[in-house]
Amino acid sequence: QKILGQDEIPQEPQKKIFKNINASVDPTNQIPYSAEFDDLSRLHFLVRKRKVSTILEFGVGKSTSIFADALLKNKNNFNEYFVNNLRKKNLFEIHSIDNYKKWIDECLNNVSSKFIEQGVVNMHFSSLITGEFLGRVCTYYEQLPNISPDLIYLDGPDQFSAKGDIRGISTRHQDRFPMSADILSFEHFLHPGTLIIVDGRTANARFLRTNLQRRWSYYYSENWDQHFFELLEKPLGKYNKSMIDYCLGQEFYQRLDFHQNC
């Protein structure tokens, strides 16, 4: 409540908020979605439990502040160990990218100044283009932050902003879907243990699941309407193993063994 700067919490914060039927496919909509406390508390919990240090967020919003608070708490608890034992840059930073300067400015106005001053929150503006991944029409941000995240949150972009088309096909139609392919373009740089969370966007999640080429586990929660992908591969080397051991522990290796034996 304090992090989001809201005066009231719903009487039943665990319940999903059902939006207007056309809310997500209205290109003229300028009203931010209400805070979904069930989703936000879950995101905060995951960042804390997994000792996440670097987040890449597609689409700015209330989740930005929640992630920043969790990262700052992680920094206060784990920074000394990370600095002295792990080879990792961009420690305890969230890099959020959006194609609307208006939403970036609004988010910055609502983010606590301590997150900005301590370098936790980093905002990036980029326009969108229509492109292809292996011949399949999709969208890309033109510029991405050059970081190595251990958590990726996909909650943008919208489907109406990408420039151009492929043989007349684009996402700019009410019956299309958001179809981001950015993660696919840098999948080979991600470290084992990376977690991807896709908020809603089922068609986009299925596109990722079909085209991701490494060993990812996948889980969809119908109640939460969220998709979870975890990169379940053996560590790349001693530094990646040290990070997995410290942040994820034996539970990661148990999931890895189970996934390999399925």
Side-chain angles (χ1 to χ4, degrees):
Q1 183 178 359
K2 293 180 180 178
I3 300 170
L4 298 175
Q6 294 199 192
D7 296 328
E8 296 183 0
I9 294 180
Q11 290 185 349
E12 297 181 282
Q14 75 280 7
K15 287 193 173 183
K16 297 295 294 183
I17 296 175
F18 294 97
K19 307 178 184 73
N20 179 282
I21 189 173
N22 291 315
S24 63
V25 293
D26 179 4
T28 65
N29 179 45
Q30 297 294 311
I31 302 174
Y33 296 144
S34 300
E36 297 191 40
F37 287 91
D38 62 327
D39 287 349
L40 296 174
S41 60
R42 188 181 310 112
L43 295 175
H44 194 280
F45 170 79
L46 286 170
V47 173
R48 294 286 284 145
K49 179 177 175 59
R50 297 174 66 88
K51 298 184 178 70
V52 170
S53 61
T54 310
I55 298 174
L56 175 60
E57 179 184 43
F58 291 98
V60 304
K62 297 175 177 64
S63 56
T64 308
S65 292
I66 295 298
F67 281 135
D69 181 79
L71 284 173
L72 189 56
K73 286 180 167 63
N74 284 357
K75 181 178 182 179
N76 293 334
N77 293 150
F78 312 126
N79 184 66
E80 183 176 355
Y81 186 90
F82 268 77
V83 171
N84 293 330
N85 298 280
L86 303 179
R87 190 173 69 183
K88 186 80 165 64
K89 296 293 185 182
N90 305 106
L91 284 176
F92 310 107
E93 296 176 1
I94 175 172
H95 290 258
S96 304
I97 182 169
D98 206 288
N99 54 291
Y100 285 107
K101 290 182 178 179
K102 172 185 176 181
W103 296 132
I104 291 177
D105 292 340
E106 184 169 324
C107 188
L108 285 172
N109 288 334
N110 292 324
V111 167
S112 173
S113 59
K114 67 180 179 181
F115 299 142
I116 306 295
E117 293 165 359
Q118 297 196 41
V120 179
V121 171
N122 302 268
M123 296 287 188
H124 304 267
F125 168 79
S126 176
S127 53
L128 287 168
I129 57 173
T130 302
E132 292 180 282
F133 183 83
L134 299 178
R136 294 158 174 83
V137 177
C138 54
T139 65
Y140 295 97
Y141 284 102
E142 289 193 291
Q143 294 290 327
L144 294 173
N146 192 27
I147 62 171
S148 180
D150 41 336
L151 188 147
I152 301 172
Y153 185 57
L154 182 61
D155 193 27
D158 69 287
Q159 67 192 74
F160 297 102
S161 303
K163 299 179 293 185
D165 60 66
I166 303 295
R167 301 183 307 282
I169 298 175
S170 77
T171 61
R172 297 186 306 275
H173 188 285
Q174 183 170 326
D175 297 338
R176 299 277 190 223
F177 321 101
M179 203 59 63
S180 168
D182 297 283
I183 295 171
L184 299 174
S185 67
F186 58 79
E187 179 197 3
H188 53 292
F189 286 119
L190 297 175
H191 292 83
T194 299
L195 180 69
I196 300 171
I197 305 173
V198 183
D199 194 0
R201 306 169 68 95
T202 295
N204 201 163
R206 291 177 181 176
F207 174 66
L208 292 177
R209 189 183 183 193
T210 300
N211 289 287
L212 287 167
Q213 298 177 352
R214 297 170 69 183
R215 297 182 67 90
W216 295 85
S217 66
Y218 169 76
Y219 171 72
Y220 171 63
S221 169
E222 186 173 352
N223 290 333
W224 303 339
D225 193 24
Q226 288 184 326
H227 307 257
F228 299 86
F229 299 81
E230 186 178 29
L231 185 50
L232 292 179
E233 293 179 341
K234 292 182 179 179
L236 296 173
K238 64 178 182 178
Y239 294 112
N240 182 215
K241 184 179 187 304
S242 295
M243 187 168 177
I244 289 173
D245 291 349
Y246 182 68
C247 296
L248 304 178
Q250 282 301 120
E251 291 181 358
F252 173 83
Y253 296 104
Q254 291 169 4
R255 293 193 295 272
L256 174 61
D257 289 342
F258 176 81
H259 188 66
Q260 288 180 333
N261 293 327
C262 286

